[in-house]
Amino acid sequence: MQKCSSVDVNASCEYILVRYGEIGLKGKNRPKFEKRLVGNIRCAVGDLGRINVSKIRGRLMVKVDEVDTSEVIERLGRVFGLVSFSPVLRVDATPEAVFEASLTSMQQGMEREGYSTEESSEPVTFRVTVNRADKTFPIQSMELARQLGGHLLAGIPGLKVKLHQPDLIVSVDIREGQAFVFSQTIPGLGGLPVGVSGKAMLLLSGGIDSPVAGWMSMKRGIELEAIHFHSFPFTGEKSKEKVADLCRVLTRYGGNINLHVAHFTDIQKEIQKKCPEEFRVTIMRRFMYRMAQRLAEHTGALALITGESVGQVASQTLESMVAINEVTLMPVLRPVVGFDKYQIVKIAEQIGTYDISIQPYEDCCTLFLPKHPSTKPNLEKVHTAEESLDIEGLIEAALEKTETLSFYRNEA
Ligand code: ATP
Ligand code: MG
């Protein structure tokens, strides 16, 4: 792949202009955001080859050298914190170079969108936008846009200017002696760069909801650590592998994830043996929270994340949440609480976890599910039921058997 320069604008594009930042991101948060975003982009694309990420006044520039730009674009689409990005032609800020680049950019746009350059009955509509941050450029914005429009009309047959909702927009951004010319703006995922908000422990089942809850948390800048409760040999290797696959998908959107596979069988058996049937689900969940909190404290995670919703299943009533939540002082984030199931499914499909989640492997909870779980567990009765259990001993023993698997971004 050739380099773009002031004369050779026909070379394949190798610069991507990145727009970022949330409205309202202020003060000290901004440099932290920028630093983390640059680091995350480097991590996301670094293994592809020679790629340089630099800051240029309120934007980032990704320079792609001898690497397939489409792969870089696909990866940037999975980095939280990006508002949008555009493959650009980078040329010297001279009228001659800008004119030439705008023609190339328009041709690239037409080719990309499948518009024909041959005479056709329907003209391709366009407009030119100019942002002249560098005031030393000799032509003012409005005048430059007008002249570029004329240049494109003269240079490419079948074009027509349309200011409102045209087929294509050719944009010129002139800053600090350089001009960036582009005809494509790809929306980013938005949100905050993973890592700026600290770390939290995701209770990751093999279901549909908890991976989505994890993804939503990452979107708010939270780095994930995950815990899965496994009831070996009642739940087999396949169900563990399924959760590992979910972690692999999640790492594509953020940093690395440590998955703690907690051995839950002995706890479940003990609960089944000693506790009244109606409180078993509640007590089991209380153990999950306790163990998740232990590991969270151990790994520097500040909160727990679950895929719980309200009213979806019997254990997800507010009364039930009160009884379960009682065992931890950590904040419990429940990012999918505001969604209907079909909305959660839609996100799961978009992010790539759905097909994994619907694989039919047993979850530890379904195995020991009582026929009539209490939907409004009484706290006192739950406390009494737990008196027969050696809570500390059970947790210690289970934690000792917990195995940790690490997943890295861009791993095969
Ligand atoms: P999901 O689709 O995430 O499994 P769900 O709708 O099936 O959720 P429940 O089975 O009631 O709901 O689980 C509620 C939450 O408890 C899950 O979203 C998850 O955060 C946590 N959880 C349940 N089972 C496990 C497990 N085996 N390991 C880790 N976390 C679990
Ligand atoms: Mg479940």
Side-chain angles (χ1 to χ4, degrees):
M1 190 185 286
Q2 287 173 285
K3 283 189 175 180
C4 299
S5 74
S6 59
V7 281
D8 184 17
V9 291
N10 291 318
S12 304
C13 183
E14 54 174 8
Y15 290 90
I16 302 170
L17 185 68
V18 172
R19 302 169 198 88
Y20 62 88
E22 285 217 327
I23 298 168
L25 190 71
K26 295 193 194 98
K28 276 196 221 146
N29 280 341
R30 183 164 270 277
K32 186 174 150 193
F33 179 109
E34 285 167 347
K35 196 164 167 236
R36 183 59 82 143
L37 185 60
V38 170
N40 288 358
I41 293 176
R42 285 190 182 133
C43 277
V45 297
D47 64 315
L48 293 174
R50 274 173 46 203
I51 297 173
N52 180 276
V53 187
S54 55
K55 249 188 79 181
I56 45 160
R57 276 231 300 210
R59 302 258 194 279
L60 298 178
M61 182 59 79
V62 180
K63 181 168 180 271
V64 183
D65 236 343
E66 290 172 15
V67 174
D68 178 9
T69 311
S70 62
E71 176 67 20
V72 178
I73 287 175
E74 202 186 311
R75 300 249 186 121
L76 289 178
R78 293 196 294 263
V79 177
F80 287 117
L82 268 59
V83 173
S84 66
F85 49 99
S86 299
V88 298
L89 296 169
R90 194 188 76 152
V91 295
D92 289 341
T94 64
E96 186 202 21
V98 169
F99 274 69
E100 199 182 340
S102 67
L103 210 55
T104 307
S105 186
M106 175 58 114
Q107 280 158 346
Q108 286 176 343
M110 290 177 73
E111 200 172 308
R112 192 184 60 244
E113 304 297 329
Y115 294 123
S116 166
T117 47
E118 286 162 21
E119 293 275 328
S120 68
S121 49
E122 280 289 308
V124 177
T125 61
F126 78 101
R127 78 160 185 262
V128 178
T129 65
V130 174
N131 175 26
R132 193 180 62 126
D134 180 352
K135 301 295 178 206
T136 63
F137 190 82
I139 310 172
Q140 288 191 354
S141 305
M142 295 273 277
E143 177 57 18
L144 180 60
R146 203 186 59 76
Q147 288 187 21
L148 286 172
H151 185 66
L152 293 173
L153 287 170
I156 302 173
L159 290 185
K160 189 181 159 199
V161 173
K162 187 177 174 217
L163 298 183
H164 188 59
Q165 293 191 326
D167 298 323
L168 284 166
I169 301 173
V170 172
S171 303
V172 180
D173 197 347
I174 304 169
R175 46 180 75 214
E176 293 158 8
Q178 306 173 74
F180 306 114
V181 184
F182 55 94
S183 60
Q184 186 184 22
T185 297
I186 303 161
L189 281 179
L192 302 174
V194 172
V196 291
S197 308
K199 193 154 71 168
M201 178 67 70
L202 169 67
L203 281 78
L204 183 62
S205 72
I208 295 168
D209 303 334
S210 46
V212 172
W215 185 85
M216 304 273 309
S217 306
M218 288 166 105
K219 188 172 185 196
R220 298 313 303 161
I222 295 173
E223 196 181 334
L224 295 185
E225 193 85 23
I227 181 166
H228 174 69
F229 297 93
H230 189 60
S231 302
F232 189 80
F234 302 103
T235 49
E237 277 302 309
K238 291 263 187 199
S239 74
K240 198 163 93 183
E241 198 43 47
K242 177 178 171 181
V243 177
D245 284 342
L246 290 171
C247 280
R248 287 188 186 100
V249 173
L250 290 175
T251 58
R252 288 194 213 145
Y253 296 91
N256 310 328
I257 297 176
N258 290 321
L259 169 68
H260 307 277
V261 182
H263 187 86
F264 211 46
T265 323
D266 296 340
I267 293 178
Q268 283 181 304
K269 279 186 176 165
E270 194 72 356
I271 294 172
Q272 198 177 24
K273 200 159 81 189
K274 296 191 173 155
C275 301
E277 187 179 313
E278 61 182 309
F279 299 125
R280 280 181 202 156
V281 172
T282 307
I283 294 171
M284 196 171 77
R285 296 256 185 246
R286 283 163 66 95
F287 270 91
M288 284 186 179
Y289 272 38
R290 287 183 182 113
M291 285 179 67
Q293 170 170 324
R294 289 289 170 95
L295 279 168
E297 283 164 356
H298 191 68
T299 55
L302 299 176
L304 306 182
I305 305 164
T306 80
E308 285 165 312
S309 189
V310 177
Q312 217 187 65
V313 288
S315 64
Q316 294 177 359
T317 60
L318 286 180
E319 288 84 354
S320 188
M321 277 184 197
V322 169
I324 298 165
N325 223 145
E326 190 201 31
V327 299
T328 179
L329 284 174
M330 273 193 172
V332 180
L333 310 181
R334 299 178 175 92
V336 300
V337 80
F339 290 138
D340 294 340
K341 190 76 185 187
Y342 84 91
Q343 293 174 306
I344 301 172
V345 165
K346 214 163 118 189
I347 298 174
E349 284 171 341
Q350 278 164 3
I351 66 176
T353 54
Y354 183 74
D355 287 342
I356 302 170
S357 291
I358 57 169
Q359 288 170 12
Y361 304 118
E362 292 282 14
D363 181 54
C364 72
C365 306
T366 39
L367 284 174
F368 294 83
L369 205 64
K371 282 193 199 79
H372 303 291
S374 167
T375 54
K376 295 185 177 180
N378 173 295
L379 263 183
E380 262 176 51
K381 288 184 184 165
V382 171
H383 291 167
T384 310
E386 275 186 351
E387 273 168 19
S388 58
L389 302 170
D390 171 15
I391 295 174
E392 201 48 40
L394 284 167
I395 289 177
E396 283 297 321
L399 284 176
E400 229 160 75
K401 286 189 191 166
T402 296
E403 148 192 40
T404 301
L405 309 169
S406 296
F407 298 92
Y408 302 99
R409 191 205 286 256
N410 302 331
E411 245 182 357

